[in-house]
Amino acid sequence: MNELSIGIAGAGLLGRLLAWQLGRTGYRVSVFDPASGPQPVFDGRQAAAFTAAGMLSPLAELDNSSPEVAMLGWRSLALWPQIAGAMKAPPHFAANGSLLLAHRSDLGAAQRVLARLADALPGTPQAQPLSLAELQGLEPALHGAAHAWLLPKEGQIDPVAAMRSLHDEAAGVHWNWSRRVGSVRDDGALVLDDGTQQRFDLAFDVRGTGARPELPVRGVRGETVWLHAPGHELTRPVRLLHPRHRVYLVPRPGDIVLLGASEIESEDRSPVSLRSAVELMAAAHSVMPALAESRILRLDANLRPALPDNEPCLEVTPHRVRINGLFRHGWLIAPALVEDALQACGLTAQPAKEFADERS
Ligand SMILES: Cc1cc2nc3c(=O)[nH]c(=O)nc-3n(C[C@H](O)[C@H](O)[C@H](O)COP(=O)(O)OP(=O)(O)OC[C@H]3O[C@@H](n4cnc5c(N)ncnc54)[C@H](O)[C@@H]3O)c2cc1C
């Protein structure tokens, strides 16, 4: 047991990844979160991590983020298999590339997006045009798009399964549910809403949209549709160029296809609108007709935590670390950001591979 005490405010993606890394290294870790427990409830108020599609798309995300985000993404794509490989119940993870599709009328828009991607980060994987026969060979379930590209090496992870395993397998971590942190002080104290304080050698503020007013974070609404589509055959995430939404279809274990996502500058946490649901489902059906008979399992809405420049921030001081602004790329970049944070404050995290070797 390492005697250093660590407090973590927030049990979302970052909080669980930190707790998992630090707990198994032997630090004394306590996590605080207003949620009533570790499981997802899909009420629009839970961690954004549960609502996420889990696309790991450093290339496609370059269309609306910086090369630094893409580099964090490529690093994280190499870290996720190590993390999953160290788990007893690993979440589904795959990195067989993703697909970008466009209807005939959207070819001009697609070419403009592809030109931006090609210029943004030379030396990293680039989009490859596919003939319709090649598309059929890769994903027979897709019909209807006139143009297709493969985005090589992009991936996906199952967020709900990953959140569960990060919690369940975080060794020795003390989880404090139904405990809201009002502020995280720079001396390592967490000030709880019930007026009590808990002092740690090091405190992490990873409260996402809950870190206001200490950080100028805002929520950006996103909506998703969960479909049950037995035998759907889709194996890779698919993006469809669409005039209003960045529409994607993500296959998940259990015959699920997840459709996402709207991006609305609003902190409205109310249920999914008819307009978003109709547009997402119509767009998905236009490239995967077999979805017609799928069943709608869930409509989910949540807020992505974003800073004014839409870039992530990592702020390290002697007793407090803040990580926030993961916006639409949290699953894509969290492992590399956590690695940078632990390194910056001199904490050792047991390398995942070493841990896996020990277990076997
Ligand atoms: C619709 C949608 C689709 C997405 N799709 C993708 C995707 O495909 N790929 C991708 O990489 N990313 C995606 N994301 C983004 C990703 O989910 C976020 O970037 C990520 O969850 C941010 O992680 P976080 O730990 O900072 O915040 P969160 O996961 O939101 O966790 C924050 C935690 O802090 C807790 N908290 C809040 N206030 C307090 C308080 N006062 N005290 C203590 N705890 C508090 C919350 O309860 C929560 O548990 C998507 C998000 C949405 C909404």
Side-chain angles (χ1 to χ4, degrees), residues 9-15 32-35 45-49 51-56 179-182 206-211 220 222-224 248 261-262 302-305 323-324 326-333:
L13 168 57
L14 286 169
F32 298 80
D33 196 291
R45 308 205 155 266
Q46 60 184 359
T51 303
M55 305 252 291
L56 307 175
R179 306 292 303 274
R180 181 180 296 277
V181 177
V206 284
R207 291 175 291 167
T209 52
V220 179
E223 297 152 292
T224 60
Y248 46 75
S262 56
N302 211 324
L303 304 183
R304 307 170 177 96
I323 317 177
N324 212 314
L326 273 60
F327 191 31
R328 35 180 296 129
H329 345 276
W331 287 96
L332 173 64
I333 63 177

Side-chain angles (χ1 to χ4, degrees), residues 26-359:
Y27 293 105
R28 287 188 293 137
V29 181
S30 301
V31 184
F32 298 80
D33 196 291
S36 57
Q39 67 288 344
V41 287
F42 302 107
D43 62 352
R45 308 205 155 266
Q46 60 184 359
F50 285 118
T51 303
M55 305 252 291
L56 307 175
S57 307
L59 177 53
E61 287 292 305
L62 268 172
D63 193 31
N64 41 33
S65 65
S66 65
E68 288 74 27
V69 166
M71 286 313 298
L72 287 167
W74 287 119
R75 275 177 55 204
S76 296
L77 262 164
L79 292 170
W80 274 123
Q82 297 178 30
I83 294 168
M87 287 175 160
K88 293 189 202 92
H92 172 69
F93 168 87
N96 303 325
S98 72
L99 293 161
L100 176 65
L101 304 182
H103 289 302
R104 200 169 306 283
S105 55
D106 294 323
L107 179 60
Q111 283 169 335
R112 282 192 292 280
V113 169
L114 289 161
R116 283 198 294 276
L117 300 186
D119 290 346
L121 198 57
T124 51
Q126 295 296 320
Q128 299 168 1
L130 294 176
S131 68
L132 291 185
E134 288 169 327
L135 175 64
Q136 277 294 292
L138 287 178
E139 297 290 349
L142 297 175
H143 297 277
H147 305 282
W149 294 263
L150 176 69
L151 309 186
K153 299 191 166 51
E154 289 203 336
Q156 68 179 110
I157 192 163
D158 179 344
V160 175
M163 287 285 278
R164 188 189 309 122
S165 294
L166 287 170
H167 170 269
D168 293 353
E169 301 190 28
V173 170
H174 187 215
W175 300 91
N176 298 270
W177 300 108
S178 304
R179 306 292 303 274
R180 181 180 296 277
V181 177
S183 67
V184 181
R185 290 201 329 226
D186 62 5
D187 62 356
L190 300 190
V191 184
L192 295 155
D193 268 6
D194 60 12
T196 61
Q197 289 186 18
Q198 300 219 17
R199 185 83 181 267
F200 296 93
D201 296 316
L202 184 62
F204 284 88
D205 184 352
V206 284
R207 291 175 291 167
T209 52
R212 256 183 332 218
E214 290 156 281
L215 285 172
V217 63
R218 73 186 195 285
V220 179
R221 178 175 165 92
E223 297 152 292
T224 60
V225 181
W226 292 51
L227 299 176
H228 185 231
H232 61 70
E233 292 185 334
L234 189 66
T235 64
R236 293 174 178 78
V238 178
R239 281 170 195 261
L240 173 65
L241 272 165
H242 183 276
R244 274 185 301 283
H245 299 302
R246 299 187 176 104
V247 181
Y248 46 75
L249 299 77
V250 183
R252 288 234 179 121
D255 289 328
I256 307 286
V257 177
L258 186 126
L259 311 181
S262 56
E263 187 175 318
I264 302 168
E265 278 296 342
S266 160
E267 297 208 341
D268 176 2
R269 291 182 182 268
S270 66
V272 174
S273 70
L274 177 142
R275 176 189 169 126
S276 294
V278 167
E279 288 181 348
L280 291 173
M281 288 190 273
H285 179 246
S286 74
V287 293
M288 192 166 162
L291 288 178
E293 281 304 319
S294 60
R295 296 296 187 259
I296 300 167
L297 283 187
R298 173 175 296 132
L299 299 168
D300 193 18
N302 211 324
L303 304 183
R304 307 170 177 96
L307 289 166
D309 60 1
N310 289 345
E311 289 289 302
C313 85
L314 165 60
E315 180 198 291
V316 180
T317 55
H319 298 287
R320 181 180 66 194
V321 177
R322 288 167 159 167
I323 317 177
N324 212 314
L326 273 60
F327 191 31
R328 35 180 296 129
H329 345 276
W331 287 96
L332 173 64
I333 63 177
L337 270 177
V338 164
E339 188 176 66
D340 288 347
L342 298 185
Q343 202 168 18
C345 42
L347 296 178
T348 51
Q350 189 178 16
K353 185 170 175 319
E354 197 179 292
F355 184 70
D357 291 347
E358 264 173 32
R359 278 188 33 226

